[in-house]
Amino acid sequence: GNSVTQMEGPVTLSEEAFLTINCTYTATGYPSLFWYVQYPGEGLQLLLKATKADDKGSNKGFEATYRKETTSFHLEKGSVQVSDSAVYFCALRTQGGSEKLVFGKGTKLTVNP
Amino acid sequence: NAGVTQTPKFQVLKTGQSMTLQCAQDMNHNSMYWYRQDPGMGLRLIYYSASEGTTDKGEVPNGYNVSRLNKREFSLRLESAAPSQTSVYFCASRVGSSYNEQFFGPGTRLTVL
């Protein structure tokens, strides 16, 4: 079946540190891939997405590249800020018009000043 | 434009009580979803509605019922609440087949004693 595996958290960084959150997936065909972010006390917001192999999604300094050969979609940011503290979810939507998203378990990031 | 709204924000129930969680969207989206979020489990799909008048089971439908009242509203009902249903519930909506993004509401925190 379809699944998403994210690195276990929590992750704690100092401000301006480099961030990587690993995400790998299992799916048939060519899924669309997403990163969602959940700030404390709020719902999820789409952070970035990629719909085909080698696409790079980017937003707010975050980037992720759809790697078909390694079935990965790792999230990176060169210099994190305190305001980036949140829970990050990797997700996939399978090809063929499926209505459903499959989420990873989430990775909590805390950035200290 | 309020996006996706959910009521109530918080609720405490006793085992065996019933309640309905309300969700509404004002973005003219076709598809709507109910998820539950539990620590270490990510988001799991309970039910979804691809269009007005249709509903389908997700990953964890047992103990829940849904109603797609009209295009705007999608309610989730717990007929006889159990402590295992203590969770944070999120409603989401999506335009349809051309766009992949789901927009999430702020969530309802439910505790069943």
Side-chain angles (χ1 to χ4, degrees), chain B residues 42-102:
Chain B
L43 275 78
R44 293 181 291 171
L45 182 65
I46 305 171
Y47 270 94
Y48 68 102
S49 170
S51 61
E52 187 179 353
T54 68
T55 60
D56 286 285
K57 295 179 180 179
E59 183 183 353
V60 288
N62 291 345
Y64 305 95
N65 286 302
V66 290
S67 295
R68 183 74 182 268
L69 304 168
N70 47 55
K71 193 171 186 180
R72 288 188 64 246
E73 299 173 290
F74 189 38
S75 62
L76 178 72
R77 183 160 178 84
L78 287 69
E79 290 291 350
S80 179
S84 61
Q85 294 178 305
T86 293
S87 188
V88 181
Y89 291 85
F90 288 99
C91 179
S93 70
R94 176 172 166 266
V95 170
S97 60
S98 298
Y99 294 90
N100 296 338
E101 180 178 358
Q102 291 187 15

Side-chain angles (χ1 to χ4, degrees), chain A residues 32 36 38 89 93 99 105, chain B residues 31 33 37 40 94 100:
Chain A
S32 297
Y36 278 83
Q38 183 182 28
F89 292 92
R93 176 176 176 268
E99 291 290 320
K105 295 183 177 181
Chain B
S31 303
Y33 308 80
Q37 183 182 29
R94 176 172 166 266
N100 296 338

Side-chain angles (χ1 to χ4, degrees), chain A residues 32-110:
Chain A
S32 297
L33 301 173
F34 307 84
W35 278 101
Y36 278 83
V37 58
Q38 183 182 28
Y39 298 104
E42 299 183 10
L44 278 70
Q45 304 172 26
L46 180 67
L47 180 60
L48 54 83
K49 68 180 182 183
T51 57
K52 61 183 187 297
D54 299 325
D55 266 2
K56 178 186 282 188
S58 61
N59 186 22
K60 299 181 180 179
F62 291 89
E63 293 183 340
T65 301
Y66 188 141
R67 301 286 187 200
K68 180 69 176 173
E69 64 276 13
T70 54
T71 62
S72 65
F73 193 54
H74 304 320
L75 183 67
E76 296 182 335
K77 187 175 186 182
S79 177
V80 293
Q81 306 300 312
V82 172
S83 57
D84 294 327
S85 297
V87 180
Y88 292 82
F89 292 92
C90 186
L92 69 81
R93 176 176 176 268
T94 55
Q95 199 177 18
S98 169
E99 291 290 320
K100 294 177 271 191
L101 286 174
V102 176
F103 286 89
K105 295 183 177 181
T107 303
K108 183 176 182 180
L109 170 67
T110 301

